[in-house]
């Protein structure tokens, strides 16, 4: 009979690993809603819980509202609730710019970056400051319309009201889940089970994904519960959840943290093996293809195994497309420095959301582009608040082949800095949403960047004369396919006429919340006749849109796929039927707050045209 001691030894080691895993998990405080020890956890000592609403909105990626108003803006998240517990569409709430998958199905849609980890699905964010730093015990999110968009809640170690900024800024995930479909648009208080962290915080970040929603999500307030003294957990390790043995938590920590990125890319001593096993029999190209499916952190880890795989993981061909947005919380100058030698063939780079609060310096960003910018074609920098005029100057000098530049919500860039963009004559896509670009700089860009195909000027409030801008686009940007003029306040029928005459390849046009456009001038009928290739047209909140405009669209724009006429009082059910019968590809029709289109009409249209999503919003 063989001895049983080896088996007992193995079991003892396994049990020891379980205990060690549990202890490590408790130390990190990584007990999420699925793995919390419900009956064996007790906080000692008991502290008085502090309950506080957000004092201030510090930063956000987008919002539906105007920069000069409070309606539908992120600033509504500060303070006590305005709407909750009521349900419906209210102007006093915070609303992000997009919802659903409609924005991914229009001509301006961008191709996704490869190697984006499946755990990162955030599309927008908002950061909130609270008065008192606390150890969080709960976060309540008051959602008043189409809930379910929040996918991640994070806490920051930096105190936004402190006079002495910390040497290191840490972010910890309190809660994270994949997007979920919530049945019904009614209001709710969302209180996920958050994990304990080892530092006090008064800076909370919400990240959202609205892709599964039928309409815009609306948030009213955020409540932070916490204690001043750090709770001490009393754990009984006799009951071990076998699910804790897997690697999900380590993956999540690594994926968000990226603390080891700098160390792993700087490995110089690697284990040597006499042979590389089956890898010696595989062609170099095949190994490269296999590794192309790994995320950046996975490449970092694999590079530590042996010299052969280190060579493959550091091959510049693995870094032709590089997205660092999923790791925004830990990307800094050192990270960019270690990546430089591997990014000499870089063509697509996504640094959106990175570098804030001093993580990336102007000099660090400039050094990276001087080494890696020569082949760059696409550069995503949305919400990059470290960017200044020097950065834009470096971009235009070091990236001669640049075709796509995204500066969305880079609201810290000074107005004069945008003049440098005119030097990049190869630009085909330029996103300036929520920036401080001024008229002179924009006219220069349009004059020298005649290859532009996609241009976003949504919520650019410092442009004085949009008619002049539209005239320049009509004269110089003949290849324009999509144009976002969301909430431009002064474009008139004159500018629309110049635009329609000169940019007849337009397939997408957003004129939402442009109050100076009036149907009585014939501007919308002129658009319909001059732009037969239109696939997306947003005339949101223009109350003058009438049956004549809809009938002209039905007669001339038969390729129309998305139409938003929210708020009009002049459109009848009969004209909508003509449109739906003529535009066979129509998939989205927003008739919210259209006074002649009641719920009965919407039900009838839905029954006769089941392939069209017809949205009718409401307020209770």
């Amino acid at each position: 009979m063989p001895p049983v001691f080896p088996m007992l030894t193995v079991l003892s080691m396994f049990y020891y690993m379980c205990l060690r895993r549990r202890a490590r998990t408790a130390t990190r405080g990584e007990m999420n809603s699925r793995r919390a020890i419900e009956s064996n956890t007790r906080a000692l000592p008991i502290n008085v819980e502090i309950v506080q609403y957000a004092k201030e909105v510090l930063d956000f990626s987008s919002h539906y509202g105007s920069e000069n108003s409070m309606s539908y803006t992120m600033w509504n998240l500060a303070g006590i609730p305005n709407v909750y517990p009521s349900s419906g569409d209210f102007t006093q709430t915070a609303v992000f710019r997009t919802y659903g998958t409609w924005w991914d199905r229009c001509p301006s849609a961008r191709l996704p970056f490869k190697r984006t980890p499946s755990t990162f699905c955030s599309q927008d964010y908002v950061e909130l400051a609270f008065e008192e730093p606390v150890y969080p015990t709960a976060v309540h999110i008051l959602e008043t319309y189409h809930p379910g968009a929040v996918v991640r809640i994070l806490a920051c170690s930096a105190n936004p009201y402190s006079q002495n900024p910390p040497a290191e800024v840490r972010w910890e995930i309190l809660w994270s889940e994949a997007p979920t479909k919530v049945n019904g648009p009614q209001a709710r208080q969302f209180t996920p089970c958050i994990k304990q962290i080892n530092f006090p915080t008064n800076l909370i970040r919400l990240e959202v994904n609205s892709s599964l929603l039928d309409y815009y999500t609306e948030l009213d307030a955020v409540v932070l519960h916490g204690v001043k003294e750090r709770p001490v957990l009393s754990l009984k390790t006799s009951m071990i959840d076998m699910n804790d043995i897997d690697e999900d938590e380590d993956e999540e920590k690594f994926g968000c943290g990226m603390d080891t990125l700098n160390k792993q890319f700087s490995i110089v001593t690697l284990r040597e093996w006499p042979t590389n096993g089956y890898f010696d029999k595989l062609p170099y190209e095949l190994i490269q293809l296999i590794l192309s499916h790994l995320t950046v952190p996975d490449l970092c880890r694999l590079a530590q195994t042996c010299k052969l795989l280190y060579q493959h993981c550091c091959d510049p061909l693995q870094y032709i497309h590089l997205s660092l947005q999923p790791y925004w919380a830990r990307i800094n100058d050192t990270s960019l420095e270690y990546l430089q030698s591997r990014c000499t063939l870089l063509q697509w780079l996504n640094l959106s959301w990175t570098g804030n609060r001093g993580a990336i310096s102007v000099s660090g960003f400039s050094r990276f582009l001087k080494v890696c910018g020569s082949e760059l074609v696409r550069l995503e920098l949305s919400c990059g608040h470290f960017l200044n005029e020097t950065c834009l100057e470096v971009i235009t000098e070091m990236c001669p082949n640049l075709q796509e530049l995204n500066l969305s919500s880079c609201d810290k860039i000074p107005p004069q800095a945008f003049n440098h963009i005119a030097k990049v004559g190869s630009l085909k896509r330029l996103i300036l949403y929520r920036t401080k670009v001024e008229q002179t700089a924009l006219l220069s860009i349009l004059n020298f960047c005649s290859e532009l195909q996609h241009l976003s000027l949504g919520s650019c409030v410092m442009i004085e004369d949009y008619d002049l801008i539209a005239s320049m686009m009509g004269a110089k940007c003949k290849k324009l396919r999509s144009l976002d003029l969301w909430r431009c306040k002064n474009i008139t029928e004159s500018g629309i006429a110049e635009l329609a005459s000169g940019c007849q390849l337009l397939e997408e046009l957003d004129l939402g919340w442009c109050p100076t456009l009036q149907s009585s001038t014939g501007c919308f009928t002129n658009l319909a006749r001059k732009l037969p290739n239109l696939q997306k047209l947003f005339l949101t909140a223009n109350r003058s849109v009438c049956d004549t405009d809809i009938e002209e669209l039905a007669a001339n724009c038969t390729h129309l796929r998305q139409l938003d006429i929210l708020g009009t009082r002049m459109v009848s059910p009969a004209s909508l039927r003509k449109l739906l019968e003529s535009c066979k590809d129509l998939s989205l029709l927003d008739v919210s707050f259209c006074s002649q289109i009641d719920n009965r009409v919407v039900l009838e249209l839905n029954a006769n045209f089941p392939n069209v999503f017809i949205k009718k919003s409401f307020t209770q």
Side-chain angles (χ1 to χ4, degrees), residues 452-515:
L452 275 174
Q453 296 180 18
H454 305 281
L455 178 61
S456 173
L457 300 175
S459 293
C460 292
V461 297
M462 299 188 72
I463 298 174
E464 300 169 353
D465 187 351
Y466 269 99
D467 281 346
L468 182 58
I469 297 298
S471 176
M472 178 65 81
M473 283 189 282
K476 296 291 185 177
C477 302
K478 302 292 186 180
K479 299 179 181 180
L480 207 60
R481 293 180 53 216
S482 72
L483 177 61
D484 180 7
L485 295 178
W486 175 263
R487 292 189 180 275
C488 76
K489 294 297 184 182
N490 51 42
I491 193 168
T492 69
E493 66 276 5
S494 174
I496 292 296
E498 296 275 0
L499 180 69
S501 297
C503 303
Q504 296 190 3
L505 297 180
L506 271 174
E507 299 173 353
E508 177 180 343
L509 182 58
D510 193 332
L511 297 172
W513 296 88
C514 296

Side-chain angles (χ1 to χ4, degrees), residues 273-506:
W273 300 91
T275 68
N276 295 303
Y278 289 109
F279 282 103
D280 283 333
K281 299 181 179 181
L282 294 179
Y284 191 93
E285 294 80 4
L286 182 56
I287 299 177
Q288 286 286 293
L289 178 61
I290 294 171
L291 299 189
S292 69
H293 296 278
L294 299 181
T295 63
V296 175
D298 289 336
L299 282 178
C300 298
R301 301 168 83 177
L302 189 62
Q304 300 176 83
T305 56
C306 66
K307 285 189 175 181
L308 175 68
L309 291 179
Y310 179 82
Q311 178 185 359
H312 278 283
C313 292
C314 297
D315 192 317
L317 291 173
Q318 291 291 338
Y319 302 89
I320 293 178
H321 294 178
L322 178 62
S323 176
L324 297 177
Q325 182 181 6
Y327 321 110
W328 60 265
R330 291 295 182 266
I331 296 299
N332 54 29
D333 283 349
T334 310
S335 309
L336 297 182
E337 182 180 350
Y338 283 128
L339 284 167
Q340 281 182 18
S341 62
R342 293 143 181 92
C343 295
T344 54
L345 301 179
L346 187 64
Q347 295 180 11
W348 287 15
L349 175 61
N350 185 0
L351 286 175
S352 294
W353 302 4
T354 66
N356 298 333
R357 295 184 174 84
I360 295 179
S361 66
V362 172
S363 58
F365 176 76
S366 301
R367 285 194 303 270
F368 184 79
L369 279 196
K370 287 176 182 177
V371 175
C372 310
S374 61
E375 303 295 325
L376 208 57
V377 175
R378 176 179 175 184
L379 183 56
E380 304 281 340
L381 294 170
S382 66
C383 305
H385 300 315
F386 66 92
L387 296 170
N388 62 8
E389 183 171 3
T390 300
C391 294
L392 290 196
E393 186 175 6
V394 169
I395 290 171
T396 58
E397 291 178 357
M398 297 296 120
C399 307
N401 299 307
L402 196 63
Q403 296 181 11
E404 300 187 23
L405 179 60
N406 180 4
L407 297 174
S408 172
S409 292
C410 293
D411 54 0
K412 302 295 190 296
I413 301 176
Q416 71 275 6
F418 293 93
N419 284 294
H420 294 286
I421 299 176
K423 303 172 188 175
V424 190
S426 57
L427 273 183
K428 294 183 179 180
R429 183 190 301 271
L430 179 60
I431 302 177
L432 298 176
Y433 168 72
R434 288 192 65 239
T435 62
K436 295 177 180 177
V437 62
E438 287 183 333
Q439 186 164 300
T440 303
L442 186 55
L443 288 172
S444 180
I445 293 170
L446 296 175
N447 186 45
F448 290 102
C449 300
S450 58
E451 297 296 315
L452 275 174
Q453 296 180 18
H454 305 281
L455 178 61
S456 173
L457 300 175
S459 293
C460 292
V461 297
M462 299 188 72
I463 298 174
E464 300 169 353
D465 187 351
Y466 269 99
D467 281 346
L468 182 58
I469 297 298
S471 176
M472 178 65 81
M473 283 189 282
K476 296 291 185 177
C477 302
K478 302 292 186 180
K479 299 179 181 180
L480 207 60
R481 293 180 53 216
S482 72
L483 177 61
D484 180 7
L485 295 178
W486 175 263
R487 292 189 180 275
C488 76
K489 294 297 184 182
N490 51 42
I491 193 168
T492 69
E493 66 276 5
S494 174
I496 292 296
E498 296 275 0
L499 180 69
S501 297
C503 303
Q504 296 190 3
L505 297 180
L506 271 174

